[in-house]
Amino acid sequence: GTSGATFYITGVQLEAGSSGSSFAHENYSDTLQKCQRYAYKYGGFISDQYGPSACWYSDANQIIFGPFQHPVPMRASPSLTTFGTTQVKSNGGATTGWTPSISAPNPQAAFVNMQKSAHGITVPASTQVAVNFGTTSDFFLFHAEL
């Protein structure tokens, strides 16, 4: 009855037919796993969050990180969307300007290529290199939507 009012609703169960069944209560973890088959966020939960440090250096000005193990098997091979600024940290120093892309995606895992020309990082065995999400606005979104 009020102009511009908002109506909130939750706990609705829609059924086909003329009679309804008992309300199906589902626990949170089951619902979350069903959602993660289609999309999930990696990073962005806290500031200065690190991703995988298993990496391989490539002479094509890229560092390949992975595998990113999906929390549940996804419905299909996912795509990758990047939000914010992704950093690469090497021996404590962070560099920005990297362009992330997904490689070898499948429903269980994927690798992420971080490309940057003239980055100056070499990866001998003694170097620790990791993906870093500096703020809560920086994250990867893996998605396998319909």
Side-chain angles (χ1 to χ4, degrees):
T2 303
S3 177
T6 302
F7 179 73
Y8 295 97
I9 190 167
T10 185
V12 175
Q13 178 174 300
L14 302 177
E15 296 185 13
S18 59
S19 63
S21 61
S22 298
F23 189 79
H25 292 277
E26 193 173 78
N27 69 41
Y28 178 82
S29 64
D30 290 341
T31 304
L32 178 61
Q33 287 180 352
K34 287 179 183 178
C35 292
Q36 288 174 330
R37 291 188 64 236
Y38 297 91
Y40 75 94
K41 175 178 156 179
Y42 192 100
F45 294 106
I46 59 172
S47 292
D48 210 25
Q49 181 179 358
Y50 288 88
S53 59
C55 66
W56 298 268
Y57 176 73
S58 169
D59 60 2
N61 291 320
Q62 67 182 350
I63 296 176
I64 304 170
F65 290 96
F68 283 79
Q69 188 73 33
H70 309 314
V72 298
M74 299 190 80
R75 63 163 284 285
S77 295
S79 299
L80 175 69
T81 302
T82 304
F83 291 86
T85 303
T86 306
Q87 303 175 8
V88 171
K89 284 201 171 182
S90 173
N91 286 335
T95 59
T96 58
W98 295 86
T99 303
S101 64
I102 195 168
S103 67
N106 66 64
Q108 285 73 36
F111 291 86
V112 173
N113 299 341
M114 302 290 283
Q115 293 186 305
K116 180 179 181 181
S117 59
H119 54 70
I121 295 176
T122 58
V123 189
S126 62
T127 303
Q128 179 73 18
V129 179
V131 175
N132 179 256
F133 304 98
T135 71
T136 55
S137 300
D138 307 327
F139 58 92
F140 291 152
L141 178 66
F142 292 91
H143 48 94
E145 299 176 44
L146 295 174

